[in-house]
Amino acid sequence: MPRLTVDGIEVEVPTGATVLQACEIAGAEIPRFCYHERLSIAGNCRMCLVEMEKAPKPVASCAMPAADGQVIHTRSEKVKRAREGVMEFLLINHPLDCPICDQGGECDLQDQALAYGRGQNRYDENKRAVTDKYMGPLIKTVMTRCIHCTRCVRFAEEVAGVEEIGAIGRGESMQITSYLEKAVTSEVSGNVIDLCPVGALTSKPYAFQARPWELKKTDSIDVMDAVGSNIVVGSRGAAVLRVTPRSNDDVNEEWLADKGRFAVDGLSERRLDTPWLRVDGKLRKATWAEAFAAIAAGLKGLAGEQIAGVVGDLQAVEDMAAFKDLLGSLGANRIECRQDGALFDTSEPAGWLLGSGLSGIETADAILLVGTNPRHEAALLNVRLRKAVKKGGAKAFAIGPAVDLSFPVTQLGDDAALLSDLPAAVVEAFAKAERPAILIGMGALTVPGLYVAARAAATRLGVVKPGWNGFNLVHTAAARAGALRLGLSTEGGVNALLGDASIKALFLLGADEAPVLPGAFTVYIGTHGDKGVRHADVILPAAAYTEKPGTWVNLEGRVQRALKATQPPGDAREDWTIMRALSSVLGVKLPYDDLAQLRARIAAEWPDLAQSGLIERAGVLGDVATTVVAGPVPHIYSNYHLTNPVARASGTMAACVSSLLAPDMVEAAE
């Protein structure tokens, strides 16, 4: 390992490290615009210049490998003058847009001009002007501000895997643009906004909404998919104005999927803010007392086995635990969380988790995807898979409809029978692999018997080894893993449950995609006037994920807590408080009056849900009998942008759908 001296401090760095990384280890602050830890080195901006003894001129520390015996100075007069000169050149053409720029207040160029600039400009010539480029409904461009750091270009190519952003021209005439100025189609395209060190790329939906110092920032968890990305909710008053990612190397690194970032305008649209009752076939507004009385009347005379519940995709663990307690106190023990109809063994977490883990999946060396499109179902999992294939050299195969996954994959077909008779190329690749992985989507698990066939295939392929579990279910619902840990599943899944003619009353907890149960007394508890309210007899308004503190478990079994950012609208209440109040009216009062007591109740029965970290992965995958299943293997989503009530209420998500269907029309409207 190389040893070098930085500002008089001797440091030892890993082989392959750069001088910039060595300087940071030594505690020296190195300014930069083009360099980013998760992107390739470009060496464009030259802001990271340092003085290296015996070198004829300052060197770009981001591109200089660290070597034994180097002596580096980061605060010398030569370095100071060099950085001032670089900053002066960068500002020659940069417009004075700070008062009207959305990047103002969190702009790298502002900060570094103050810290390393001369404080004055010696250039009087006219600044260049560059036409703004269309990149879709999510990314606003003011390309005159661009400093050609190419972070966006490298992100699109290396991380997103969608080579739709690039540079044209040379020198001062160089311009960054999207391919043919069409909308960028990546599901993680919004990350170029965070990467841009100036105001060239900003959030189009957030444009001119607020300054960063006006926002209250609250740590939360993204529930638009099951990855459990760490986020910061920026709110002002009762409104959520933007969502940005929070770094967590084990989960989302520092990226965020577009749906989690941009669908938040749906939190204020089509919201339920008062109870409703269906009277003579028509809905009318009601008070909480009237709604609870109607529920008591609807349940009168019903036995516990005549009552069932379905849990939706966005619910917190606390909500679901209170829901289970409420129905259990009524004698009902049939609650199902798999409203999409997926069928799999729920007896042990090892059989329904992402066994390899998010950070582990990028180390896999042979991958078989069964009925899953991770670009739509878990975009940041797809980023990890792309890393495994493009950087790690993993061989990837897929069973299911052919889609562009942004990395090379061998399509085997869409017949489930392939699981019982895998091609020789797959068997050979898995036989040589040290960390093989099979990933099964929720769409595949709607096919009866496919889970058992996949388990048998996993056994034959040897995906479970000492220290490695390559059996993975790709969940799409943020609530799913937590609900399964609470035991909210039934024999035969949601279709068998709602096909039971003995069910006379049905509770829907945020369940908008569940099948309809005609003739049953239906109570819907949720946030939006979406699909779930269409046949409900009583509608109770609940709090969205940004409006309550809660616990979520992601698809790898990681327990994470979110804080409350804003208040629910109108008469809406946090879900668990609705259960608690309703239980008193029904004469089965639940034994907790505040969130702390509810969490203590959860900790008593499920202690692993009471602390951050991975849940207990009890049990191991056992052998199953070989099953032959035939027929097409579908994907669960046909549209990435409209998968839940919040996204369907979002005007931004609707604009994304329009831009993909008819991009020329949207561009003309811009």
Side-chain angles (χ1 to χ4, degrees):
M1 291 177 30
R3 286 180 176 270
L4 60 160
T5 303
V6 178
D7 293 337
I9 301 173
E10 187 175 286
V11 294
E12 186 176 29
V13 298
T15 303
T18 64
V19 170
L20 186 149
Q21 292 168 323
C23 291
E24 291 188 332
I25 292 173
E29 181 179 335
I30 305 297
R32 81 291 298 267
F33 291 114
C34 67
Y35 175 79
H36 190 276
E37 291 81 357
R38 302 189 192 277
L39 303 177
S40 63
I41 295 171
N44 293 340
C45 71
R46 321 307 284 182
M47 195 64 204
C48 65
L49 292 175
V50 297
E51 182 182 357
M52 185 168 70
E53 290 188 3
K54 299 181 181 180
K57 59 183 179 179
V59 300
S61 60
C62 71
M64 174 65 66
D68 262 329
Q70 288 175 333
V71 180
I72 307 296
H73 302 284
T74 69
R75 295 192 293 267
S76 67
E77 186 61 26
K78 180 185 286 189
V79 170
K80 181 176 180 293
R81 290 198 309 270
R83 290 173 180 171
E84 286 178 351
V86 170
M87 181 60 68
E88 202 169 2
F89 277 117
L90 287 173
L91 294 176
I92 288 176
N93 286 311
H94 193 79
L96 301 177
D97 281 351
C98 298
I100 61 165
C101 178
D102 275 320
Q103 198 82 353
E106 48 191 10
C107 173
D108 291 348
L109 187 60
Q110 276 184 336
D111 296 339
Q112 294 186 38
L114 176 65
Y116 304 101
R118 294 184 71 247
Q120 59 185 351
N121 192 347
R122 294 177 289 177
Y123 291 85
D124 297 324
E125 290 82 0
N126 292 330
K127 293 177 181 289
R128 70 169 186 161
V130 180
T131 57
D132 295 341
K133 306 299 188 288
Y134 177 77
M135 290 191 179
L138 303 179
I139 304 170
K140 176 187 174 184
T141 64
V142 184
M143 300 314 295
T144 301
R145 303 170 185 162
C146 179
I147 62 170
H148 301 162
C149 71
T150 68
R151 280 185 178 183
C152 55
V153 177
R154 285 175 284 148
F155 174 83
E157 178 181 352
E158 298 166 12
V159 179
V162 179
E163 299 180 10
E164 296 176 346
I165 302 177
I168 57 175
R170 299 180 68 188
E172 190 181 57
S173 300
M174 176 177 168
Q175 297 184 28
I176 303 294
T177 181
S178 61
Y179 178 69
L180 298 179
E181 292 196 39
K182 301 298 183 184
V184 180
T185 59
S186 171
E187 293 78 18
V188 292
S189 65
N191 292 290
V192 300
I193 295 168
D194 301 328
L195 288 172
C196 185
V198 295
L201 304 177
T202 55
S203 171
K204 188 175 286 187
Y206 176 67
F208 307 122
Q209 295 296 309
R211 288 295 196 181
W213 56 84
E214 297 179 292
L215 300 180
K216 182 182 78 170
K217 298 176 177 65
T218 308
D219 290 350
S220 188
I221 302 298
D222 175 35
V223 301
M224 294 294 114
D225 57 30
V227 172
S229 300
N230 290 210
I231 60 174
V232 177
V233 176
S235 60
R236 186 175 59 191
V240 174
L241 297 184
R242 72 169 179 177
V243 164
T244 52
R246 186 160 45 97
S247 291
N248 186 328
D249 286 346
D250 293 327
V251 183
N252 57 304
E253 299 179 297
E254 59 188 79
W255 314 127
L256 183 59
D258 287 351
K259 194 162 45 176
R261 184 189 297 266
F262 294 109
V264 290
D265 59 321
L267 291 169
S268 60
E269 300 294 331
R270 293 162 48 182
R271 284 301 299 271
L272 298 172
D273 58 3
T274 187
W276 292 78
L277 293 179
R278 192 175 299 277
V279 180
D280 297 328
K282 295 184 179 180
L283 290 172
R284 70 166 180 85
K285 289 185 178 181
T287 65
W288 279 102
E290 290 173 332
F292 285 168
I295 295 173
L299 298 179
K300 189 174 182 180
L302 295 183
E305 58 269 17
Q306 295 177 297
I307 304 172
V310 180
V311 171
D313 294 344
L314 311 181
Q315 309 309 124
V317 167
E318 291 84 354
D319 306 332
M320 298 183 290
F323 187 62
K324 179 178 182 177
D325 288 347
L326 174 65
L327 267 62
S329 65
L330 297 174
N333 58 10
R334 289 193 288 178
I335 305 175
E336 179 57 66
C337 67
R338 298 167 294 177
Q339 61 169 342
D340 51 20
L343 295 171
F344 49 88
D345 180 13
T346 62
S347 60
E348 297 286 357
W352 48 260
L353 286 174
L354 190 81
S356 304
L358 285 166
S359 58
I361 201 71
E362 66 185 51
T363 67
D365 46 8
I367 299 166
L368 175 62
L369 304 172
V370 182
T372 180
N373 176 5
R375 273 189 69 174
H376 286 180
E377 297 166 21
L380 296 181
L381 171 62
N382 195 70
V383 169
R384 303 266 193 179
L385 290 169
R386 174 178 164 79
K387 243 191 249 188
V389 174
K390 298 292 286 186
K391 293 185 178 180
K395 294 183 178 180
F397 307 89
I399 298 174
V403 292
D404 177 12
L405 293 176
S406 78
F407 56 85
V409 58
T410 302
Q411 294 288 343
L412 304 178
D414 67 348
D415 190 350
L418 286 164
L419 284 171
S420 302
D421 187 19
L422 288 166
V426 178
V427 176
E428 181 182 353
F430 273 72
K432 295 178 180 178
E434 294 182 2
R435 297 169 75 86
I438 180 171
L439 290 87
I440 307 151
M442 294 299 108
L445 295 175
T446 61
V447 178
L450 189 138
Y451 177 79
V452 175
R455 281 275 294 269
T459 300
R460 293 197 308 275
L461 294 174
V463 302
V464 179
K465 301 181 178 183
W468 172 256
N469 180 3
F471 186 78
N472 303 276
L473 261 57
V474 182
H475 292 292
T476 56
R480 185 70 52 84
L484 292 171
R485 186 68 187 92
L486 292 171
L488 304 184
S489 61
T490 57
E491 186 71 29
V494 70
N495 293 320
L497 177 66
L498 300 186
D500 187 346
S502 68
I503 300 295
K504 302 300 181 186
L506 178 66
F507 284 80
L508 301 176
L509 180 60
D512 289 274
E513 283 78 28
V516 176
L517 184 58
F521 176 74
T522 304
V523 179
Y524 176 81
I525 306 166
T527 59
H528 286 71
D530 200 69
K531 300 176 182 179
V533 306
R534 295 178 184 175
H535 303 280
D537 297 289
V538 181
I539 301 169
L540 304 179
Y545 68 101
T546 57
E547 298 160 2
K548 58 189 175 186
T551 304
W552 277 269
V553 184
N554 74 351
L555 76 176
E556 63 178 345
R558 187 176 300 276
V559 180
Q560 302 181 106
R561 288 250 169 106
L563 303 177
K564 181 177 182 176
T566 60
Q567 294 292 336
D571 287 334
R573 296 291 184 268
E574 294 180 25
D575 305 57
W576 77 266
T577 65
I578 296 174
M579 315 300 170
R580 168 62 182 80
L582 179 57
S583 69
S584 294
V585 174
L586 298 178
V588 288
K589 182 179 177 181
L590 298 178
Y592 32 80
D593 297 317
D594 58 38
L595 184 62
Q597 292 177 354
L598 171 56
R599 284 179 170 170
R601 177 267 180 277
I602 294 172
E605 187 169 349
W606 303 282
D608 49 357
L609 295 179
Q611 54 190 358
S612 297
L614 295 171
I615 65 174
E616 181 184 353
R617 300 176 182 232
V620 294
L621 284 176
D623 293 336
V624 295
T626 302
T627 302
V628 178
V629 181
V633 178
H635 291 157
I636 198 67
Y637 290 149
S638 59
N639 190 318
Y640 166 74
H641 297 97
L642 305 176
T643 57
N644 60 62
V646 178
R648 286 191 288 269
S650 167
T652 304
M653 293 295 99
C656 289
V657 174
S658 299
S659 69
L660 294 175
L661 294 178
D664 294 332
M665 295 174 58
V666 177
E667 184 177 354
E670 292 286 329

